[in-house]
Amino acid sequence: MKFPITRNPNTRFDSIDWNKLGFGVYFSDHIFISKYKDGNWDGGQILPYGPMEFEPALCTFHYAQSCFEGLKTFHCLDKSGKPTGYANLFRPDKNAARLNLSGERLCIPNLDIDFQIEAMKELVKIDQKFIPSKRGESLYLRPFIFGSSNFLGVQASAEYNFIICTSPVSSYYANGLEPIKILVSDKYVRAVRGGLGFTKAAANYAASLYGGKKAKEEGFSQVLWLDGVELKYVDEVGAMNIMFVIDGEIVTPTLEQGSILGGVTRMSVIELAKDMGLKVSERRIAFEEVVEAHEAGKLTECFGTGTAAIISPVGQLTYKGVDMIINNSQIGPISQKLYDAILDIQYSEEQDKRNWTVKFKL
Ligand code: COI
């Protein structure tokens, strides 16, 4: 697929602090955009990144008919660590399919999966100078869709924009792999069964902001959300799925709960851990069980998994005013092993035994 390209005359490259990328702070020179009208998506084009004009009655401003994805692309490196002129996308088919899953729940029309992946590749090619080459850094792709009709009656939009922008990133958390402190919320909820929790709807993130702000004021990086009905069972962290190592076994909430995002890193970690001979169980987890395991000395590790966060060790969980320190607030051996395994696959073709990465010429 070839897409028309309008080049950005003013590169953003020089305004980037490459030693301090952070997450989602800088953006590359171009976006991909395709518009849906009269029942069809157009063929798409590449345009300069920059301000866009919308009417005040844009339905998404009012009713949040919007969902997004996040995935990463990496330079393929040779044995000496030098870029080979090829890039890798990590499991883009999974993200493209999930965009459609979210879209279906939000009454947003589906987009062909190959079309989405071609759009990603072409956009990365044109902005290839923005792919960082240090291990742990990447070019993050943010595909998203929103209703673009203008009206105030509550209904699904007739028109949509599908956009991909890209951002050179380092680690999601300011202190990289340093274990984070998480507040287990016994007050606010992120999602309920039957709602949007299993999708990557923008509205899920809006729902998490207030509880997240309160937690940050108390010195926590994130909130662990419990189920929205009984506030009893573990759901997810919002920016990540959550896993516990209890008695040597990895335990993580089952997607059957209906309120948890099916993370691409989550599914990859489960497969890698099983291949490493570790026992993994996906099931409902009452948070009290985690508390009991901690008291009995059986909770040896806890970590989040996500595209942005990769593997993020959790050094402290605080629930109802009680702090639970995990593994002396140090990264544990299982978290470290899984982190290394994911990065090895993302940066080196040789390690990718499962063909998870899609390699393409820059
Ligand atoms: C991701 O991991 O890609 C996410 O979308 C999580 C967060 C940055 C919203």
Side-chain angles (χ1 to χ4, degrees):
M1 273 173 235
K2 277 274 163 238
F3 303 108
I5 298 172
T6 307
R7 291 200 179 254
N8 192 337
N10 305 308
T11 183
R12 309 167 67 86
F13 190 83
D14 298 330
S15 64
I16 296 178
D17 182 349
W18 289 94
N19 293 317
K20 218 171 144 208
L21 285 176
F23 180 83
V25 179
Y26 300 109
F27 298 94
S28 317
D29 285 342
H30 298 90
I31 62 165
F32 177 87
I33 181 162
S34 168
K35 296 190 179 209
Y36 181 90
K37 200 177 171 180
D38 300 328
N40 291 303
W41 289 103
D42 70 20
Q45 58 176 318
I46 289 175
L47 294 178
Y49 179 99
M52 300 178 78
E53 247 183 26
F54 298 105
E55 290 186 26
L58 185 93
C59 60
T60 294
F61 290 156
H62 305 270
Y63 306 126
Q65 200 191 5
S66 171
C67 56
F68 70 94
E69 274 304 319
L71 68 162
K72 287 175 170 173
T73 189
F74 310 82
H75 273 297
C76 300
L77 304 177
D78 67 15
K79 283 194 181 120
S80 66
K82 286 209 193 78
T84 57
Y86 286 83
N88 268 338
L89 277 162
F90 185 70
R91 311 194 82 176
D93 52 323
K94 300 288 178 207
N95 293 90
R98 194 174 61 186
L99 190 70
N100 284 340
L101 180 82
S102 303
E104 194 178 328
R105 178 65 178 80
L106 292 163
C107 302
I108 292 174
N110 272 11
L111 260 163
D112 182 74
I113 288 184
D114 290 337
F115 175 78
Q116 291 187 54
I117 296 175
E118 278 311 304
M120 292 173 199
K121 286 185 191 166
E122 289 305 313
L123 185 62
V124 170
K125 272 189 214 172
I126 186 168
D127 278 340
Q128 56 182 273
K129 66 181 178 200
F130 289 87
I131 311 174
S133 41
K134 271 191 229 151
R135 190 175 162 97
E137 297 183 346
S138 59
L139 187 66
Y140 182 82
L141 280 76
R142 172 52 64 87
F144 59 105
I145 307 187
F146 59 93
S148 54
S149 297
N150 301 301
F151 57 79
L152 294 185
V154 178
Q155 58 181 309
S157 185
E159 297 178 5
Y160 296 87
N161 281 358
F162 166 62
I163 297 179
I164 310 175
C165 60
T166 67
S167 170
V169 299
S170 57
S171 61
Y172 184 65
Y173 297 107
N175 295 328
L177 259 185
E178 201 174 288
I180 57 167
K181 282 165 53 170
I182 289 187
L183 179 69
V184 184
S185 182
D186 57 357
K187 191 164 182 194
Y188 306 106
V189 298
R190 166 190 172 271
V192 291
R193 204 165 48 244
L196 301 177
F198 70 96
T199 72
K200 223 164 160 56
N204 284 332
Y205 297 82
S208 75
L209 292 178
Y210 189 73
K213 176 174 159 239
K214 293 275 165 205
K216 282 206 177 95
E217 284 166 6
E218 292 177 39
F220 298 96
S221 311
Q222 294 284 318
V223 173
L224 175 61
W225 304 104
L226 300 181
D227 80 275
V229 181
E230 295 175 81
L231 282 148
K232 180 174 175 187
Y233 297 98
V234 177
D235 259 6
E236 59 155 285
V237 178
M240 317 185 284
N241 293 112
I242 193 87
M243 303 202 178
F244 306 95
V245 182
I246 298 178
D247 224 359
E249 178 185 8
I250 298 179
V251 186
T252 193
T254 167
L255 300 181
E256 283 164 19
Q257 270 164 236
S259 49
I260 299 171
L261 187 77
V264 178
T265 310
R266 177 189 180 278
M267 72 173 81
S268 308
V269 159
I270 289 174
E271 202 175 319
L272 287 171
K274 285 182 178 165
D275 284 0
M276 288 171 184
L278 294 162
K279 206 169 159 216
V280 183
S281 138
E282 296 174 69
R283 59 174 171 81
R284 290 190 100 186
I285 308 162
F287 193 73
E288 280 304 332
E289 183 192 332
V290 178
V291 173
E292 281 163 24
H294 181 257
E295 281 167 1
K298 292 181 176 173
L299 175 66
T300 51
E301 291 182 49
C302 174
F303 55 92
T305 63
T307 297
I310 317 174
I311 301 282
S312 176
V314 178
Q316 180 180 325
L317 287 167
T318 296
Y319 181 56
K320 297 193 171 166
V322 179
D323 296 339
M324 297 161 46
I325 305 296
I326 303 159
N327 196 39
N328 284 324
S329 291
Q330 303 295 313
I331 183 166
I334 293 178
S335 317
Q336 183 74 57
K337 203 169 167 191
L338 289 166
Y339 176 84
D340 291 339
I342 292 269
L343 258 71
D344 283 348
I345 291 170
Q346 291 176 334
Y347 290 92
S348 156
E349 223 182 310
E350 279 173 33
Q351 308 285 340
D352 182 17
K353 310 274 186 291
R354 296 164 192 80
N355 289 324
W356 280 348
T357 56
V358 171
K359 182 179 166 184
F360 59 102
K361 190 152 176 42
L362 289 171

